[in-house]
Each structure stands twice: as structure tokens, then as C-alpha cells.
Amino acid sequence: LMRGNEVITIGDLAARTGLAVSAIRYYETQKLIRPDRNSGGQRRYLRADIRRLSFVVVVQRLGFSIKEIAAMLAGLPDSRAPNKQDWTRLSRLIRQDLDDRIAILERLRANLDGCIGCGCLSMQKCALYNENDRARQLGNGARYLISDERAM
């Protein structure tokens, strides 16, 4: 049960997070936050939900899906506000994914700069040319852009 000084209304939560009330209700349906209801049936949120929703907004901008975010938040306690250790554990989960994405983006940028700037106009000299579909050995997708590996 929530204590009175720890709860806020949906309007207060919207004002504090900058989210529309409809967005907050959507996040509730996705189980990202779990408000209690008072005797009149009105939603009551923990002040900790301000941080949870702020986290949701940030990681959505990083490209994580609602399903992935729900899995991340599932590791946080429901019975109390998450503490520094809880958030640190969660940030470690995200950090590796971000490092992997950064590496891919850096490779993509380097390859695109090379392609745009090289002026070779020759598929035989192009570092990204995939003669006889050699890259297929590495898996699906644009393998030369997302991986350091080259097919032999």
C-alpha cells in the first residue's frame, strides 16, 4: 500500500515528466508502471514513477522497444523506489548494447566516408563490393557495414 506523501496523481506525473496523460496510460497498459487506485478509482502513482517514466523516454530515444524496456524494468523492485544500486545494475545492461551500436555506427560512418570520398567508381576496387555473394558466409544483412569481418 502506498503512503500518502509518496503518491501523486496522473496530472502531477504528466507535469513532472512532460508526457501526455494518454502516454502515461499507454505505458501503464504495457506494464512499465503500475499505479494503485484510491477508493474513488483514481490512479495514484509513486514519486518513483517519475524516474521510471523518464528512463522509458530516454531509452526509447536510444532505440529500445517497449518490450525490451519492460524486461529491463521488470528487474526493478515494485515494493520500493529503485535505489542507486538498482539503477546501476540496469545501466550495465544497457551499456554493452550501446557500445555495440556505437561500434557499428563508427564502422558505417568510416565505410560511407570512404565510399563517398574515394572516387574509384569501380566495383572491383570497392571495399564493400560483395563479389559472388561472399558475405553470405557471415550471415544475413549488410555484413560488411555491420561487421569487421570479411568473407574469404
Side-chain angles (χ1 to χ4, degrees), residues 80-145:
R80 62 171 171 79
N83 60 29
K84 184 175 171 68
Q85 284 181 314
D86 297 321
W87 289 112
T88 299
R89 187 173 56 251
L90 189 55
S91 72
R92 283 190 200 120
L93 294 173
I94 297 168
R95 182 171 286 133
Q96 184 59 53
D97 185 85
L98 292 178
D99 289 345
D100 293 344
R101 290 181 195 199
I102 289 167
I104 289 169
L105 289 170
E106 287 174 343
R107 281 193 299 275
L108 177 60
R109 181 183 59 207
N111 285 324
L112 288 178
D113 287 350
C115 287
I116 292 168
C118 81
C120 71
L121 302 177
S122 168
M123 293 306 283
Q124 281 67 38
K125 293 180 183 179
C126 179
L128 298 179
Y129 180 56
N130 183 18
E131 186 177 4
N132 298 320
D133 199 18
R134 292 185 319 242
R136 185 175 203 185
Q137 300 166 26
L138 301 174
N140 296 329
R143 303 312 306 173
Y144 290 168
L145 293 178

Side-chain angles (χ1 to χ4, degrees), residues 43-61:
R43 292 171 173 88
R44 291 296 182 251
Y45 298 86
L46 289 173
R47 288 192 178 279
D49 288 330
I50 296 169
R51 184 169 287 166
R52 285 177 191 260
L53 288 178
S54 298
F55 171 81
V56 168
V57 169
V58 169
V59 294
Q60 271 190 301
R61 287 184 180 169

